[in-house]
Amino acid sequence: MPSFTIEPAVLTDIPALASIAGSSFQSDRHTQMKMKGAKPYNHEEGMKGALTHWMNRPAKCTVLKVVDVESGVIAGWVCWAMSGYEAEPVVVTAVPAPEDTKQAEEAAVPEDPIERLEAMTNADMNNWYTKLTPPHKKVRFIASICVDPKFQSKGVGSMLITWGTSKADTEGATAWVHASEAGRGMFAKMGFEPVGTLDVDLDLYSPAPADDGKKWGRYVFTYMQRQPRVANE
């Protein structure tokens, strides 16, 4: 069996972490469809910016990597974010309040179908963030988690999740995650329970059919929450 260590990620790890993010979502239908847009989505490039942002906020976010001991290769990573540990809450997406709400809403509806999809999923994420991360309550949540396909089904994901849930148990904090279709089963095994979903008909936003010519179908995002475990459980 492979042997792994878990340790803090550093800025110089970002290219490797972003590459893992890109490869781990290659088979994800939602990601695949966004790559067909007028401005093709590049998950790897997008994660470089996100990782830089998270690593520069160590009081709010902890980015960890799991390393294969034998090869020294990074097998996976996670960003555990925190809220309620300081006076200032974590903010996922900051949206300035418009003076003219109606005009802003009309202007905010993009013509590009992929941009409309992102606007809809971001709004849903912000809504659930507000519900699952109430002010002045300790909460830990997974901003992102990725495991290199070469190291999947080897316990890497469990290590990354357990790091945060163990801390949440000690602190009496809830934990939550916005799970993809592929990740939902793993989080369920780790004690997360569904509290909400976003069921998206991808074909309503599709700029082009899938490579095999078939429809994209429906995609379900699942919001999952885990309550803290007491010591004797």
Side-chain angles (χ1 to χ4, degrees), residues 202-221:
L202 294 179
D203 293 293
L204 294 178
Y205 303 91
S206 171
D211 289 339
D212 58 8
K214 297 180 180 179
K215 291 187 176 182
W216 293 100
R218 307 194 76 87
Y219 189 101
V220 180
F221 297 96

Side-chain angles (χ1 to χ4, degrees), residues 151-225:
F151 291 99
Q152 290 178 3
S153 300
K154 298 182 185 297
V156 174
S158 296
M159 288 180 67
L160 294 166
I161 297 169
T162 299
W163 183 93
T165 55
S166 295
K167 288 190 174 295
D169 288 345
T170 300
E171 300 157 349
T174 58
W176 67 271
V177 64
H178 176 231
S180 65
E181 287 188 334
R184 188 167 52 226
M186 166 62 75
F187 292 116
K189 291 179 181 178
M190 303 300 290
F192 288 79
E193 298 181 353
V195 292
T197 60
L198 175 62
D199 188 341
V200 180
D201 183 348
L202 294 179
D203 293 293
L204 294 178
Y205 303 91
S206 171
D211 289 339
D212 58 8
K214 297 180 180 179
K215 291 187 176 182
W216 293 100
R218 307 194 76 87
Y219 189 101
V220 180
F221 297 96
T222 307
Y223 296 90
M224 306 182 75
Q225 187 180 53

Side-chain angles (χ1 to χ4, degrees), residues 47-186:
M47 290 311 301
K48 289 180 181 178
L51 283 160
T52 300
H53 175 71
W54 294 329
M55 288 189 189
N56 283 318
R57 305 180 75 212
K60 298 290 186 181
C61 304
T62 302
V63 181
L64 301 162
K65 61 183 177 182
V66 165
V67 179
D68 176 51
V69 172
E70 182 178 353
S71 65
V73 171
I74 298 175
W77 62 272
V78 68
C79 174
W80 273 99
M82 300 171 287
S83 182
Y85 292 77
E86 298 177 12
E88 177 193 359
V90 177
V91 177
V92 175
T93 304
V95 180
E99 294 182 3
D100 187 334
T101 304
K102 182 177 181 181
Q103 181 179 356
E105 288 178 349
E106 292 175 351
V109 179
E111 294 183 5
D112 184 88
I114 297 299
E115 291 182 1
R116 289 202 302 273
L117 172 62
E118 290 186 333
M120 185 266 288
T121 55
N122 287 343
D124 190 69
M125 175 67 166
N126 287 340
N127 177 51
W128 277 99
Y129 174 86
T130 301
K131 293 179 180 179
L132 298 175
T133 317
H136 312 303
K137 181 178 179 180
K138 288 185 177 181
V139 178
R140 287 183 177 267
F141 60 96
I142 296 176
S144 186
I145 181 170
C146 302
V147 178
D148 189 314
K150 297 189 297 294
F151 291 99
Q152 290 178 3
S153 300
K154 298 182 185 297
V156 174
S158 296
M159 288 180 67
L160 294 166
I161 297 169
T162 299
W163 183 93
T165 55
S166 295
K167 288 190 174 295
D169 288 345
T170 300
E171 300 157 349
T174 58
W176 67 271
V177 64
H178 176 231
S180 65
E181 287 188 334
R184 188 167 52 226
M186 166 62 75

